[in-house]
Amino acid sequence: MQALLGVIFHFIGGFASGSFYIPYKQVKGWAWESYWIIGGLFSWLIVPPLAAYLTIPGYTEIINHTNGGILFLTYFFGVLWGIGGLTYGLGVRYLGVALGSSIILGLCSVFGALIPSVYYEFNPQPGKDTISMLFSESWGQMVLLGLLVCVIGIVICGKSGAMKDADLRKTGHVAADNTEFKIGLGLTVSIISGILSACFAFGIDAGKIMAQEANEIWKAANPGEGEFLFQNNVTYVVILWGGLTTNFIWCMILNARNKTFGNYTDSSTPLLSNYIFSALAGTTWFLQFFFYGMGESKLGNGPSSWILHMAFIILVANSWGLVLKEWKGVSKKTISSIIIGILVIVLSVLIVGYGNYLRE
């Protein structure tokens, strides 16, 4: 039952992440950097402390007395992840929601799931899964199989993107949502994003002592009620400071370079709706990790949680790609290919879920 709840929470988080970019499509007359940073202020600065305040009484005290080295490492991984998040937006911009998310999150799932397990192999800690555990125990092997199937699904989705590019070039048809489709630039930023986005998982591990303290305080006040669902909310505050730093600096540079500072007060654009849709996108984005923390508290397994989270995002993002007709103007063979890729990813989620069931 705990594993099932964990899977459900990860699906909700994946739906939030796979859907967050949709409100940005309703922003009119603003440059990318302008709506990205307005949404980011909600994602990284406003909503995370609010969520921590509502769920963890005294969360600021936990941060204040945490070792400075731990805080810096958590923040540093947030900075690296911020670069990944920044290039995620560019990848989606140039490849579309479906293809961009598939490539970025596929790489992210591999690095985010396996590297912490390798780290804990050489620096063991209680309750942390090592790479040898994953390979030697039946539940771990099932999780690794699910990861492999997920990667296969991602490769299929990536191939579908190349087929899409060829179809569009052949027919000369470019739909409204495909006007910025740039396969070369999109692949470059997507690969960078996929690798660096995995640093969020490392940041969670680096700041785990804060989550553990929040968990112990809650368990002392609520004996016999299991693990604290919202324990990671305090860690997110520090990680997302790092993400804010990276994205704020870059967006301000772009505002200056492109002379788009005027976007924020340009009365010729629908200012109120632009701010509302950007805020909605940013808030929706944060909800992915709000529910990720809930899912991880139920599964108790970092690699499995990360794989499930990434796979659900890929599934939802590709589904949105179909709904938004990002694949308009391509052949039936290409459409069939992306649908097969989505179904393979669904299969990977089921395999990982079964692996967690075996672990209980």
Side-chain angles (χ1 to χ4, degrees), residues 169-235:
R169 291 179 184 277
K170 185 184 302 182
T171 62
H173 174 81
V174 180
D177 285 334
N178 290 324
T179 54
E180 292 187 294
F181 186 74
K182 300 177 182 178
I183 188 70
L185 180 59
L187 285 174
T188 300
V189 296
S190 293
I191 290 171
I192 294 172
S193 177
I195 294 173
L196 293 181
S197 291
C199 289
F200 199 98
F202 310 154
I204 291 175
D205 277 328
K208 198 65 178 180
I209 189 172
M210 291 182 282
Q212 289 171 343
E213 182 175 347
N215 189 38
E216 292 303 318
I217 293 173
W218 184 86
K219 288 169 69 174
N222 302 272
E225 296 189 24
E227 301 298 309
F228 184 33
L229 282 175
F230 307 111
Q231 58 185 271
N232 282 327
N233 284 354
V234 62
T235 312

Side-chain angles (χ1 to χ4, degrees), residues 263-274:
N263 285 167
Y264 306 114
T265 57
D266 186 356
S267 60
S268 67
T269 64
L271 283 177
L272 180 60
S273 65
N274 281 359

